[in-house]
Structure formats: C-alpha cells, structure tokens
Amino acid sequence: MMRAYAARDAFLVGQKMMLSREREEGMKEGRREGRLEGIKEGKLEGIKENSYSIAKTLKQMNMDDASISKATGLSIEEIRKL
C-alpha cells in the first residue's frame, strides 16, 4: 500500500512539474506574440502618421483631395479633416 501511495505521489509531482513547464512555455509564447503584434502596430501607426504628414504638405501645396488620396492612401474624408 505504501508503494502505491509513493507511486501516486511521484506521479502527481511529475504532473505538477510538467504543467508548470507547459505554463511557462505558453507565457513565453504569448509574450513573443505580443511583442510581434506591438511591433506590427507600431509600424502601421508610423506609416499612418507619415501619410498624414505628407497629406498636410500636399494640401499646403494646393493639391486636390483626390490626388492626395491617391498618393497617400488616405480617404478623402480624412484629408478634408486635416
């Protein structure tokens, strides 16, 4: 009976260690995915800001909204708000 108890106890300890390791790997993967998503969002944000800056300059040069939209990829509504 003591052998069965010790075997069960060893099994449970092994399960706990395995779950702990799996949890840690999952957290690492989540952080890695989060960083990649943050980098991607940051790049998109930078591109959008750059497009707005270009659009403002083109608007100051009296270029029409349709041409600015074509050049920057911004919508005409976004350009009119500038």
Side-chain angles (χ1 to χ4, degrees), residues 10-59:
F11 172 77
L12 292 175
V13 168
Q15 287 288 359
K16 188 174 183 179
M17 289 172 48
M18 182 185 72
L19 288 173
S20 178
R21 210 173 318 124
E22 292 293 327
R23 175 178 280 148
E24 184 63 34
E25 287 178 25
M27 291 175 74
K28 284 179 184 178
E29 184 177 333
R31 284 190 291 267
R32 186 172 34 251
E33 287 178 10
R35 276 194 295 273
L36 292 175
E37 188 175 323
I39 290 168
K40 183 178 177 182
E41 282 183 28
K43 286 181 181 178
L44 290 176
E45 192 71 27
I47 290 169
K48 194 77 162 175
E49 286 178 25
N50 194 33
S51 294
Y52 280 121
S53 176
I54 292 169
K56 285 180 184 179
T57 302
L58 294 175
K59 198 167 180 121

Side-chain angles (χ1 to χ4, degrees), residues 53-64 68 82:
S53 176
I54 292 169
K56 285 180 184 179
T57 302
L58 294 175
K59 198 167 180 121
Q60 290 171 350
M61 296 170 60
N62 296 322
M63 186 179 273
D64 64 289
I68 295 173
L82 298 176

